[in-house]
Amino acid sequence: METGDEPPARGLRARVRAEMVDEIKAVARRHLAAEGANLSLRAVARDLGMVSSAVYRYFPSRDALLTVLIVEAYDALGEATERAEAAVARRDLRGRWIASCHAVRDWALAHPAEYALIFGSPVPGYAAPPDTVGPASRTPAVLAVILRDAVAAGVVSPNRNERLPRALRADLKRLLADPRFAGIPEPVLARAMTGWIHLFGLVSFELFGRFNDMITDTGQFFDYQVRAMGTQIGL
Amino acid sequence: METGDEPPARGLRARVRAEMVDEIKAVARRHLAAEGANLSLRAVARDLGMVSSAVYRYFPSRDALLTVLIVEAYDALGEATERAEAAVARRDLRGRWIASCHAVRDWALAHPAEYALIFGSPVPGYAAPPDTVGPASRTPAVLAVILRDAVAAGVVSPNRNERLPRALRADLKRLLADPRFAGIPEPVLARAMTGWIHLFGLVSFELFGRFNDMITDTGQFFDYQVRAMGTQIGL
DNA sequence: TCTACATCGAGAGCACTGCTCTTGACAGAG
DNA sequence: CTCTGTCAAGAGCAGTGCTCTCGATGTAGA
């Protein structure tokens, strides 16, 4: 029933179970990379030398397995972005922005199937479980924190003629209740959202082949776009 | 083998065949809207009161059916955008931009499954056939032509300090070989591409539920974003 | 008009899928 | 040393894409 929580494993049995869960996830990830979202539980079981029904001891359904992979993909992307951003000097705000964006792209290129699983079209029946929203917000949080620091450093400030729709202001105010984002003026958070949307639009377009036969050096193009976005945001 | 070309249909048989093809596509579109990309040929056949193997007289495979739906979706989106843009006074360049963007969003909201089929994650095995690239370029072409007219009207002009990477300049130059885009300076076309990426990033985020529990009035937000993009581009 | 051909729908069948249920083997706890 | 819970295996169900064969029927040429 469970899908591999149970911090350290109480006994021997629990440990071999946790190992089995890890193995299933690893093989499933491999299959995902090879054949995309139409993941076959039976094929995964076959690769593990067991019969399909045995997998159901560890995951109640195929969707449950996919959900776990989705959560872990969000976390992996978030962690990769956080690490890359943390490696840049705190005062180099533009550098932190650029490094974060590149980290997202690099992770996506390294794990295209998992990226597609997350940012591709959602399966119609599939409803994102609430455990995904936390990990999913890690990456945009990195971007917002950069702008928080930029505001605190006096590098970025809201523009006088930067007007926001009423409903958007209310939404932004709600987001700003998060203590991590304290001090960000609403117009600046709006810019962060714009950057966030643009960034993932860019990565998705590249990964989903929209630049094929159009842009030769996609890495250079990405860098150009990301720098322009940084300038536009005020970094 | 064929998928419904043959201009007017030579005899009675050819005509009922064309009607059958249309019916299959219509039912398939309905199923797509109801259950997403995992379209079942057998279910479509069942809805049509015939057996699955009969469908193969009209489409050689499920992928072929999907490809036709993809091409037609590209065309429908392109046409919707073209019509909306054409309805705006030629000299109202900013209005043309805004109308085009809204047309894209409106079409996507009206046909979410078809939008996901086009702009969602591509099926790994599936290779986009060359017949899709033409229809796929209709929408971005609308945006580029707006900027062409804006340049011709003197409203938009390249900025002195707008520098582009070398490889990107070569790519843009190749795109500018299209006579429709004659006269657009490379930096301005780069801005159009930025707008194009941002626009579809925005629509995809909304459609794929990324704004859930975050932005309440997505229509207002979209309008705000699109206007800001227009300003950023110079319209 | 009659015949030969091409096209079509139906049905059976293959290999595959997710998932359920039952059975028998085994390990850990009392 | 039982007894209980966990596990892998197998059979089975309903569904899938796709192929092949077989009659029925419309179409075109003689």
Side-chain angles (χ1 to χ4, degrees):
Chain A
M1 288 299 171
E2 354 229 325
T3 51
D5 325 355
E6 314 283 326
R10 292 186 310 275
L12 189 150
R13 195 140 195 173
R15 211 174 58 198
V16 308
R17 179 184 176 88
E19 279 174 22
M20 199 71 221
V21 167
D22 282 345
E23 259 187 277
I24 293 175
K25 288 192 291 190
V27 173
R29 250 187 289 265
R30 248 182 34 219
H31 277 238
L32 212 60
E35 295 160 51
N38 27 15
L39 178 69
S40 163
L41 258 189
R42 288 182 111 111
V44 169
R46 226 177 290 127
D47 262 29
L48 285 165
M50 61 188 190
V51 91
S52 77
S53 62
V55 179
Y56 285 85
R57 297 271 165 199
Y58 303 93
F59 294 93
S61 72
R62 198 193 71 131
D63 270 17
L65 212 193
L66 281 175
T67 298
V68 171
L69 294 182
I70 285 175
V71 170
E72 295 196 359
Y74 273 127
D75 267 323
L77 172 60
E79 193 187 316
T81 310
E82 288 166 6
R83 292 174 82 95
E85 196 268 347
V88 180
R90 289 353 263 149
R91 60 183 55 180
D92 181 10
L93 295 153
R94 182 177 171 86
R96 286 164 65 185
W97 169 265
I98 295 171
S100 303
C101 293
H102 270 100
V104 169
R105 175 173 181 265
D106 291 344
W107 186 90
L109 288 180
H111 309 87
E114 290 170 76
Y115 181 88
L117 197 63
I118 311 229
F119 290 101
S121 34
V123 189
Y126 182 86
D131 10 343
T132 61
V133 317
S137 68
R138 280 177 74 168
T139 305
V142 172
L143 305 180
V145 165
I146 296 173
L147 280 183
R148 181 204 62 190
D149 292 355
V151 169
V155 176
V156 167
S157 55
N159 200 320
R160 196 170 310 277
N161 56 356
E162 212 167 358
R163 279 200 267 164
L164 306 179
R166 180 184 292 271
L168 177 58
R169 289 182 60 128
D171 291 331
L172 293 174
K173 196 164 286 184
R174 213 180 48 248
L175 289 173
L176 287 172
D178 188 321
R180 287 177 297 173
F181 309 146
I184 308 181
E186 290 154 18
V188 174
L189 186 60
R191 288 191 225 160
M193 282 194 53
T194 300
W196 171 56
I197 296 165
H198 191 163
L199 167 61
F200 281 94
L202 191 53
V203 173
S204 294
F205 262 26
E206 176 175 355
L207 238 78
F208 298 166
R210 212 112 253 155
F211 293 153
N212 289 352
D213 304 322
M214 189 173 182
I215 291 171
T216 48
D217 192 337
T218 53
Q220 199 181 46
F221 179 69
F222 182 82
D223 191 65
Y224 155 73
Q225 286 270 316
V226 152
R227 296 186 119 88
M229 285 162 55
T231 303
Q232 169 66 9
I233 288 173
L235 293 173
Chain B
M1 289 300 172
E2 355 230 324
T3 51
D5 326 357
E6 315 281 326
R10 293 184 310 276
L12 188 149
R13 195 141 196 174
R15 211 174 57 201
V16 308
R17 178 182 177 88
E19 279 173 20
M20 197 72 222
V21 167
D22 282 346
E23 261 186 276
I24 293 175
K25 287 192 291 191
V27 174
R29 251 186 290 263
R30 249 182 32 221
H31 272 87
L32 211 61
E35 297 161 51
N38 28 12
L39 179 69
S40 162
L41 257 187
R42 290 182 111 112
V44 170
R46 227 178 289 128
D47 261 29
L48 285 164
M50 61 188 193
V51 89
S52 76
S53 61
V55 180
Y56 285 86
R57 297 272 166 200
Y58 302 92
F59 295 93
S61 72
R62 198 193 73 131
D63 270 18
L65 212 193
L66 281 174
T67 298
V68 172
L69 294 182
I70 285 174
V71 169
E72 295 195 1
Y74 272 128
D75 267 322
L77 172 61
E79 194 187 314
T81 309
E82 287 166 7
R83 293 172 84 96
E85 195 269 348
V88 181
R90 292 348 269 149
R91 63 182 55 181
D92 181 9
L93 295 153
R94 182 176 170 86
R96 287 164 65 186
W97 168 266
I98 294 171
S100 303
C101 293
H102 271 100
V104 170
R105 176 174 180 265
D106 291 345
W107 187 91
L109 288 179
H111 309 86
E114 290 170 75
Y115 181 89
L117 197 62
I118 312 235
F119 290 102
S121 34
V123 190
Y126 183 84
D131 8 345
T132 61
V133 315
S137 67
R138 281 176 73 168
T139 304
V142 171
L143 306 179
V145 165
I146 296 173
L147 280 183
R148 181 204 61 191
D149 292 355
V151 169
V155 176
V156 168
S157 55
N159 200 321
R160 197 172 310 277
N161 56 356
E162 213 168 1
R163 279 200 264 164
L164 306 179
R166 180 184 292 270
L168 177 58
R169 290 183 60 127
D171 292 330
L172 293 173
K173 196 164 283 185
R174 213 179 47 249
L175 289 173
L176 288 171
D178 189 320
R180 288 176 297 175
F181 309 145
I184 308 181
E186 290 154 18
V188 175
L189 185 60
R191 289 190 225 161
M193 283 194 52
T194 299
W196 171 57
I197 295 165
H198 191 162
L199 167 61
F200 282 95
L202 192 53
V203 174
S204 294
F205 261 27
E206 177 176 356
L207 237 79
F208 297 166
R210 212 113 253 156
F211 293 153
N212 289 351
D213 303 322
M214 188 174 184
I215 291 174
T216 49
D217 191 337
T218 52
Q220 199 181 46
F221 179 68
F222 182 82
D223 191 64
Y224 155 74
Q225 285 271 315
V226 152
R227 294 186 121 87
M229 284 161 55
T231 304
Q232 170 66 9
I233 289 174
L235 292 172

